[in-house]
């Protein structure tokens, strides 16, 4: 009876670990852009919920996060050993065999979407998978090259672009891609500020370690101002909404709030902004 109970607990324990590894707090960073992309691409209400849009949302909600963060944790094992954030907020990888298996399965699931989405969306699925792997895995390991670590994180808008392309049959507007890419660059580099000391201790070079904390703030603000400008060129209302990010970061920078605390507020900020963007896209269908 005891061995049966232990056997039942192991799958639950592994599942719990994988869910923690996938960063549930950040799930909407990938799945949210899918909703935004569908909202602005759909020609009618009937096109909002289809097998393709549901499949894209489901994939980018959980499996894509296991793929992206699982690769990161496997190849960052030594760095994470001295990173206190891993004990407090995230799961620390200690060589569990289930992780590489889950990463491989999650990557294959992305390929499984290919037959079901229009060819125009294939590019964006490839952008996500290739950059998602190249960011953490050797020999490229983009996360250890200043500036490229930031630029490569445009991968976070690939789900939204894939969803837009799948529904509309064409690529999203260039300025929307540019604005989203700059937003993702700023978001990634903000997240690297709390890791400056652990990264320096382990010899990892990033945009944040190169610039230092003060200039990294300025870099992120610049990315977000440029993002707001790109979106404003398409729609002034969207540009005004995206200006929340540089304004928020200026407030954090000038206050006494530590960035490693403010960093955990961004999921809430992103959820509100993403919801407003999605509602704006839906409004045009009414």
């Amino acid at each position: 009876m005891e061995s049966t109970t232990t056997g039942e607990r192991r799958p639950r324990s592994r599942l719990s670990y994988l869910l923690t590894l996938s960063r549930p707090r950040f799930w909407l960073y990938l799945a949210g852009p899918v909703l935004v992309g569908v909202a602005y691409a759909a020609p009618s209400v009937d096109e909002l919920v289809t097998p393709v849009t549901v499949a894209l949302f489901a994939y980018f909600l959980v499996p894509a996060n296991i793929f992206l963060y699982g690769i990161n944790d496997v190849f960052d094992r030594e760095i994470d050993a001295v990173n206190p954030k891993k004990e407090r907020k995230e799961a620390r990888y200690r060589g569990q065999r289930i992780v590489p298996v889950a990463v491989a399965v999650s990557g294959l699931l992305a390929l499984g979407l290919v037959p079901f989405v229009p060819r125009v969306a294939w590019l964006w699925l490839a952008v996500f998978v290739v950059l998602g792997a190249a960011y953490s895995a050797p020999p490229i390991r983009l996360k250890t090259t200043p500036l490229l670590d930031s630029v490569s994180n445009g991968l976070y808008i690939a789900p939204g672009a894939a969803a837009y392309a799948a529904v509309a049959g064409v690529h999203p507007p260039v300025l929307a891609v540019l604005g989203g890419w700059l937003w993702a660059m700023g978001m990634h580099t903000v997240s690297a500020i709390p890791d400056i000391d652990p990264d320096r201790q382990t010899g990892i070079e990033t945009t944040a370690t190169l610039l230092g904390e003060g200039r990294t703030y300025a870099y992120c603000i610049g990315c977000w101002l440029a993002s707001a400008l790109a979106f404003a060129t398409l729609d002034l209302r969207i540009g005004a909404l995206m200006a929340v990010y540089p304004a928020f970061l200026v407030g954090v920078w000038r206050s006494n709030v530590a960035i490693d605390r403010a960093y955990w507020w961004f999921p809430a900020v992103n959820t509100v902004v993403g919801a407003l963007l999605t509602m704006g896209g839906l409004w045009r269908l009414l």
Side-chain angles (χ1 to χ4, degrees), residues 6-17:
T6 302
E8 290 174 349
R9 285 176 180 173
R10 283 180 179 172
R12 287 199 296 266
S13 177
R14 289 172 179 172
L15 178 60
S16 176
Y17 172 77

Side-chain angles (χ1 to χ4, degrees), residues 242-253:
M242 298 305 291
V244 165
Y245 288 97
F248 178 80
L249 192 56
V250 168
V252 171
W253 192 8

Side-chain angles (χ1 to χ4, degrees), residues 20-132:
T20 303
L21 173 147
S22 71
R23 324 288 205 267
R25 187 186 294 258
F26 301 140
W27 279 359
L28 287 180
Y29 281 21
L30 292 178
V34 173
L35 299 179
V36 175
V38 170
Y40 284 91
S44 66
V45 173
D46 293 339
E47 297 297 318
L48 292 173
V49 182
T50 67
V52 169
T53 60
V54 170
L56 285 169
F57 180 78
Y59 174 72
F60 284 108
L61 183 65
V62 181
N65 282 288
I66 292 176
F67 171 77
L68 186 63
Y69 295 119
I71 294 175
N72 181 79
D73 285 1
V74 168
F75 291 104
D76 275 11
R77 185 176 180 180
E78 293 183 4
I79 302 171
D80 291 342
V82 297
N83 191 341
K85 184 172 69 176
K86 283 295 176 179
E87 286 294 347
R88 296 196 305 265
K89 298 285 188 178
E90 298 172 1
R92 177 167 283 157
Y93 174 69
R94 293 184 170 88
Q96 297 93 325
R97 287 179 292 180
I98 187 64
V99 176
V101 173
V103 167
V105 170
S106 298
L108 290 173
L109 285 176
L111 296 179
L113 291 171
V114 168
F116 303 101
V117 300
R119 184 170 296 182
V120 70
W122 292 0
L123 169 65
W124 299 107
L125 292 176
V127 166
F128 173 75
V129 173
V130 172
L131 288 182

Side-chain angles (χ1 to χ4, degrees), residues 131 134-135 141-157 178 180-192 205-211 216 219-224:
L131 288 182
Y135 176 75
R141 202 156 157 75
L142 293 168
K143 71 175 298 174
T144 62
T145 304
L147 191 57
L148 287 182
D149 63 330
S150 177
V151 173
S152 64
N153 266 261
L155 67 90
Y156 277 90
I157 63 111
L178 177 61
W181 205 284
L182 287 164
W183 167 81
M185 288 170 59
M187 186 61 61
H188 162 265
T189 311
V190 162
S191 74
E205 294 184 359
T206 68
T207 300
T209 62
L210 176 68
L211 296 177
T216 301
Y219 172 85
C220 296
I221 291 168
C223 286
W224 281 338

Side-chain angles (χ1 to χ4, degrees), residues 234-266:
L234 290 172
D235 190 311
L236 286 174
R237 294 166 296 183
I238 298 179
L241 178 60
M242 298 305 291
V244 165
Y245 288 97
F248 178 80
L249 192 56
V250 168
V252 171
W253 192 8
R254 296 177 63 87
S255 70
N256 293 323
V257 177
I259 187 60
D260 57 352
R261 179 185 177 193
Y263 165 69
W264 296 102
W265 298 343
F266 277 104

